[in-house]
Amino acid sequence: MPTPDSETTTSLLRQIPSVDRLIQAAAGEEGKSPIASEYLTLVARDVQTEARNRIRAGEALHSDHVEDLMRQRLGKLASGSLKPIVNGTGVIIHTNLGRAPVSQETARAMADAASHYVPLEVNLESGNRGGRGSEVSEALQYLTGAEAALVVNNNAAAVNIVLSALAHGQKVVVSRAEAVEIGGGFRIPDVLRQSGATLTEVGTTNRTRVSDYEDAIDEDTAALMKVHASNFVILGFTAHPSISEIVNVAHAHKILAIEDMGSGCLIDPRQFGLGAEPLLTDSIGAGADVVTASGDKLLGGPQAGIILGKKQVIDRIASHPLARALRVDKTVQAGLVTTLRHYLRGEATETIPIWWSISRDLDWLRSRAVGWAEAIGDARVSTVRSESVVGGGSLPGRTLESIALAINLPHQAVDTGARYLRTAVQPIHPRIQDGAILIDARTVLAGEDEIVVHGVRQMLGQIA
Ligand SMILES: *Cc1c(COP(=O)(O)O)cnc(C)c1O
């Protein structure tokens, strides 16, 4: 005899609507579904499977719930989820929120290139085939002093092709303190192995001397490599040779000096109260043969891997077979050159969003947050001192004083309130700290104030 429970389960399972019924339900009143009919059947079958599993797990899903499920799944499938979100976290280069947003002008250039034909490999004067990426290289040469440049998909790809082209079958010397993991599985020892090079680790975790590098060099050594340990700091009894000391040793032994800088900084962040960050110009100025960096960390451009250095060395890298596999498309070329032009014009701190955020001062941030609080006009909001960080593996351990809007809710409503903000039509990603929901005034982009005011008011209305 079935128990009453299993009877209910059986009857619920029997009520699961047919594929045809689900498709009809999805079409709504106008009889028009958001996706083409050949895919509707697949979605309907998945919804039936989900319903069966949930009913068997004890949920009382009735046929109208299952129809709702169908409509929800179709809604998601048809409208996509990578839409803009306001960054209230205080983390400027937030990896989970897509790292650096590009400037308005850069975004327009990328959209224009994407939706039109562009003279990517045509010399318009002669009508003949022209150099791909020459505009980007020229801008990078002026900005950094490098003889030549090559752009690939991201910095991980840049390090990979550099080592494959220059050190395959040979040894590369790296300090033990710099044989690091950057995140997302990018580990320097693994990348070296993958490119066919052998890692020679020298020194200790906290101290490496120039002589450690010197002693490790033999006839199989292709290069000395410095890696910017961008996502952690070792404090105390430490010593690490500078890039110019490494360059001197490498060149005395007629081998290459390579630096993986990571963040790709062109502006000294110390002027904004942050710590020192190695600049691309420092490494090129010190005579490094090859320097690699990300396009979407402190450079503030689209995702890219930037390879700079001596012309002869860059030519070797560019002619490696991986160059074709890792090359960037027209939208990245258009975006990168537009971002670099902001630096050439000397306007980067106003036009590049991450530098705009880094360079806002405390008075400005306070009046912004107070303005939000006044416009919201609710006793549950106030402004508080906050701390922002650069993030994205840049300037670890360094913070920037900031001001945040604080939304003070009863303890049990905090998570609900934060979820409401994150899933709103115009979503906001806040930070939860000391039991309050914070929206940091530094990371909210210019022009997003109205979204914050409206979003918080709507949320408070729901919570009340
Ligand atoms: C971030 C980083 C990388 C990886 O760069 P992506 O652009 O994320 O591929 C490699 N090396 C260093 C030192 C980094 O900081």
Side-chain angles (χ1 to χ4, degrees):
M1 279 290 287
T3 64
D5 262 359
S6 66
E7 240 172 81
T8 322
T9 302
T10 313
S11 118
L12 285 171
L13 285 171
R14 225 180 281 125
Q15 279 178 44
I16 293 177
S18 67
V19 166
D20 282 346
R21 177 80 208 100
L22 285 174
I23 290 176
Q24 252 174 26
E29 272 153 31
E30 298 101 71
K32 196 175 174 334
S33 135
I35 66 168
S37 56
E38 59 261 53
Y39 310 113
L40 274 176
T41 316
L42 301 177
V43 178
R45 287 207 195 105
D46 280 347
V47 168
Q48 286 181 322
T49 307
E50 181 184 341
R52 260 195 302 276
N53 291 340
R54 284 170 63 173
I55 290 168
R56 288 198 184 113
E59 260 186 83
L61 273 186
H62 292 276
S63 57
D64 50 339
H65 295 139
V66 183
E67 286 173 13
D68 280 346
L69 225 61
M70 176 77 182
R71 278 186 283 268
Q72 278 165 19
R73 201 181 271 235
L74 276 180
K76 265 196 195 151
L77 201 56
S79 69
S81 66
L82 262 192
K83 53 185 182 179
I85 186 163
V86 173
N87 179 5
T89 63
V91 181
I92 297 170
I93 302 176
H94 197 303
T95 302
N96 296 353
L97 299 182
R99 285 202 188 159
V102 298
S103 74
Q104 295 286 328
E105 197 182 333
T106 300
R108 275 196 300 276
M110 294 178 81
D112 259 356
S115 57
H116 293 87
Y117 292 105
V118 292
L120 188 62
E121 298 187 23
V122 181
N123 178 328
L124 294 177
E125 297 287 335
S126 65
N128 295 331
R129 192 158 177 193
R132 191 185 171 99
S134 53
E135 271 187 330
V136 174
S137 299
E138 192 182 10
L140 282 168
Q141 285 161 33
Y142 282 119
L143 289 167
T144 64
E147 286 177 14
L150 176 70
V151 178
V152 292
N153 181 53
N154 58 16
N155 189 28
V159 175
N160 207 304
I161 190 175
V162 163
L163 293 170
S164 302
L166 305 178
H168 186 94
Q170 288 182 284
K171 296 179 188 167
V172 175
V173 183
V174 180
S175 161
R176 192 151 276 138
E178 297 175 1
V180 296
E181 172 170 332
I182 305 300
F186 184 84
R187 293 177 155 192
I188 291 295
D190 297 344
V191 177
L192 268 155
R193 195 174 316 116
Q194 171 68 31
S195 4
T198 309
L199 168 66
T200 305
E201 268 188 54
V202 295
T204 60
T205 307
N206 59 328
R207 288 174 78 85
T208 302
R209 298 184 185 81
V210 175
S211 59
D212 292 327
Y213 285 96
E214 194 134 38
D215 294 346
I217 298 173
D218 64 22
E219 65 271 24
D220 293 330
T221 308
L224 305 186
M225 182 176 182
K226 187 166 176 62
V227 181
H228 183 43
S230 45
N231 49 5
F232 68 99
V233 275
I234 301 176
L235 297 172
F237 187 56
T238 64
H240 307 288
S242 68
I243 183 65
S244 54
E245 289 172 300
I246 291 172
V247 167
N248 288 343
V249 175
H251 291 177
H253 290 83
K254 303 209 158 32
I255 60 172
L256 298 169
I258 299 171
E259 181 164 22
D260 174 17
M261 300 201 81
S263 62
C265 196
L266 284 169
I267 294 177
D268 191 341
R270 281 177 298 189
Q271 61 189 293
F272 305 114
L274 281 163
E277 174 78 12
L279 305 180
L280 288 170
T281 42
D282 294 340
S283 187
I284 295 296
D289 299 287
V290 188
V291 180
T292 66
S294 292
D296 56 345
K297 290 184 182 171
L298 281 173
L299 196 71
Q303 179 187 301
I306 291 166
I307 308 174
L308 302 168
K310 306 274 168 66
K311 172 136 189 9
Q312 211 191 341
V313 183
I314 298 295
D315 285 347
R316 263 173 80 191
I317 301 165
S319 59
H320 189 276
L322 270 178
R324 177 64 176 75
L326 302 177
R327 79 180 186 189
V328 293
D329 77 334
K330 58 181 179 171
T331 61
V332 172
Q333 302 239 13
L336 197 53
V337 79
T338 309
T339 299
L340 294 172
R341 214 167 271 142
H342 290 311
Y343 290 96
L344 286 171
R345 293 190 199 127
E347 61 183 29
T349 54
E350 287 306 314
T351 51
I352 296 179
I354 60 154
W355 284 102
W356 181 85
S357 287
I358 291 171
S359 60
R360 294 307 94 187
D361 69 28
L362 212 53
D363 285 341
W364 189 91
L365 294 167
R366 184 177 294 109
S367 72
R368 182 183 215 188
V370 167
W372 294 344
E374 282 170 358
I376 293 162
D378 188 297
R380 291 168 288 179
V381 303
S382 57
T383 60
V384 293
R385 283 277 187 151
S386 167
E387 279 186 341
S388 322
V389 296
V390 174
S394 314
L395 295 151
R398 304 290 189 146
T399 58
L400 278 168
E401 276 192 286
S402 187
I403 304 288
L405 184 79
I407 306 152
N408 304 291
L409 299 176
H411 173 69
Q412 70 280 4
V414 171
D415 284 343
T416 314
R419 187 179 334 113
Y420 190 93
L421 290 175
R422 287 194 307 270
T423 57
V425 176
Q426 290 186 299
I428 302 170
H429 202 307
R431 175 168 98 233
I432 296 177
Q433 192 174 303
D434 302 329
I437 299 175
L438 302 188
I439 299 176
D440 195 305
R442 191 182 289 283
T443 47
V444 173
L445 298 177
E448 291 180 340
D449 300 77
E450 197 40 54
I451 301 176
V452 171
V453 170
H454 180 75
V456 173
R457 281 170 79 162
Q458 291 271 318
M459 182 266 270
L460 289 171
Q462 290 292 316
I463 296 288

